[in-house]
Amino acid sequence: MFKRFRRLRINEKLRELVVETTLSTNDFIYPLFVREGRGIKNEVSSMPGVYQMSIDEILKECDELKKLGLYSIILFGIPEVKDSIGSDALSENGIIAKALKEIKKAHPDMFVVTDLCFCEFTDHGHCGILDIEHETVDNDKTLNILADQAIVHAKAGSDMIAPSGMMDGMISAIREGLDSEGFINTPIMSYSTKFASGYYGPFRDVAESAPSFGDRRSYQMNPANRREAINESLEDEKEGADILMVKPALAYMDIVRDIRERTLLPLAVYNVSGEYSMLKMAGKMGLIDYEKVMMETLTGFKRAGADIIITYHAKEAAKILKS
Ligand code: PBG
Ligand code: ZN
């Protein structure tokens, strides 16, 4: 009888020798939400284990992360004041600029990525300047302020800019802006294929960024479209993106594989808030073995072709990987 596969699985050491996909703390980027104030660490009810934190608490959190072997974070800001164009995001005294300066001062060894968008900063909750007539975002007007925002981030010490607004032409506009100010070495990780997804629900609670009217379907992608999904990422590669991304991750593993096979650039996935909360809540209810399902899910992203995983599970996964 042929029993080759069983022979390869029967010994634990041999199972390890033939393993095809491995996870490491080097794969993860951990999202952090920063807000004004001191001593603030508010847990978000829809995302147990995820907090809005003031800058001093973020600095302490970075110590924790480093102890776990996690050196990469992505920052989201919750400003004190919102307005129609998201001025806080364009100010050198805005929440992100201030947080960046303090994090890089206290933790020069952290790699700090900044999410670049306006939805957390506008009073209407959309990702840029409004086009009132069409009840959506004015793509081209938004490009100018996106470049300005990128320059504010770079000046404050951002190690990598991650534009998430899905505006057409955003990568070339941001690249030009950064280069013109001398930030030629600041990389851009584009949210290149981002779907209009229900999985962002809990994030909009944490980031207080739900749109006050309409939705994001005119600029984010239709989940039904595979060819367009590939094309969106390849377009950002042509414009000069250094790293591509698929978001959300779980329902779009096929797209991760499709893009992996068509680009030589590094590829990230964003394991989004709804994906995190589903596992959390199912674990809390005793429906699944949370840690097992989490590691299986993260391994799945890498198997599908991701090099980088942006995930709220990073700390829990790091603890398991260390043990
Ligand atoms: C902002 C942004 C969003 C997420 C990352 N950057 C929200 C959105 O597009 O509504 C979602 C992340 C998550 O759900 O964890 N443009
Ligand atoms: Zn946005």
Side-chain angles (χ1 to χ4, degrees), residues 76 115 117 119-120 127 164-165 191 194 199-200 203-204 209 216 220 247 270 272-274 312:
F76 295 91
D115 180 90
C117 200
C119 48
E120 295 122 67
C127 299
S164 63
Y191 286 64
K194 177 171 175 179
Y199 282 99
Y200 309 145
F203 174 95
R204 292 177 186 171
S209 64
R216 303 207 210 289
Q220 297 182 349
K247 177 188 166 194
Y270 200 134
V272 300
S273 55
Y312 306 98

